[in-house]
Amino acid sequence: MKDNIILIGFMGSGKTSVGIRLSYQLKRTMIDTDKWIEQRQKRTVSEIFAQSGEESFRSMETDCLKELIRQADRQIISVGGGLPMRKENHALLKELGTVFYLRVTPKTVYERLKADTTRPLLQVEDPEGRIRTLLKQRAPVYEACADVVLDVSELSFDEILEQIEEELKKHETISDQRTES
Ligand code: S3P
């Protein structure tokens, strides 16, 4: 297994913002799968959804993970909210490193994203209902994929970072013990 830090969670859970701060703090570079795909495709996620469809985007996410397994180590990787939904991606995430699930409530997501136009899945008449439905379907999958679950709706960035660092120390201790025995 590689030594990356992977951030998963619903849209608006703060993966990218937390990832950027963590990257400064731990002096590790950060990769965002949406940005990675956009750069390769020279199109935005919204354009990819509109022109090629969601399934094509999902395949691009899997390709991205496979490429990161070849290239990335000791990095922070923030992944798109739907990426863990593909079963095939679970083993790839595990192989990439320690997976942190940033868990948020539907209310928090709605408040953060009600004015956002960049998430194609939320450009519907009832975004709040959509958030609740998707989150209900996805929560058990995020939980199953995660090594660590953090409830972040009520936490400041500093508190989230502190908790992640504490968990990383625990994981390091566990893997040190494994290497010794
Ligand atoms: C999606 C989440 C988005 C982006 C795309 C689809 C999803 O990423 O990958 O709009 O299915 O939840 P963020 O979680 O970074 O917003």
Side-chain angles (χ1 to χ4, degrees), residues 8 98-104 139-152 155 163-164 167 170-171:
I8 66 167
T98 310
V99 180
F100 289 81
Y101 167 30
L102 305 187
R103 185 160 61 190
V104 279
V141 181
Y142 291 143
E143 280 159 28
C145 270
D147 295 301
V148 180
V149 180
L150 298 176
D151 281 304
V152 297
L155 300 184
Q163 293 203 6
I164 293 179
E167 293 293 337
K170 281 191 219 159
H171 275 79

Side-chain angles (χ1 to χ4, degrees), residues 9-13 15-16 32-34 37 45-46 49 54 57-58 61 78-83 85 113 118-121 134 138 142:
F10 201 74
M11 293 171 264
S13 58
K15 291 162 295 185
T16 306
D32 178 298
T33 58
D34 287 342
I37 292 169
V45 170
S46 298
F49 266 68
E54 180 172 351
F57 176 72
R58 299 301 173 199
E61 289 187 312
S78 157
V79 312
L83 182 147
M85 296 308 117
L113 296 184
T118 65
R119 269 68 169 208
L121 292 179
L134 280 176
R138 291 178 173 190
Y142 291 143

Side-chain angles (χ1 to χ4, degrees), residues 48-99:
I48 299 169
F49 266 68
Q51 296 162 359
S52 310
E54 180 172 351
E55 250 332 277
S56 299
F57 176 72
R58 299 301 173 199
S59 299
M60 292 170 197
E61 289 187 312
T62 301
D63 291 344
C64 171
L65 288 184
K66 289 181 179 164
E67 183 64 32
L68 293 180
I69 286 173
R70 281 191 286 274
Q71 290 182 358
D73 206 10
R74 295 193 57 75
Q75 300 198 332
I76 318 277
I77 303 171
S78 157
V79 312
L83 182 147
M85 296 308 117
R86 254 205 188 185
K87 201 132 198 265
E88 167 183 15
N89 294 343
H90 293 193
L92 300 174
L93 286 171
K94 288 269 178 239
E95 205 174 328
L96 266 176
T98 310
V99 180

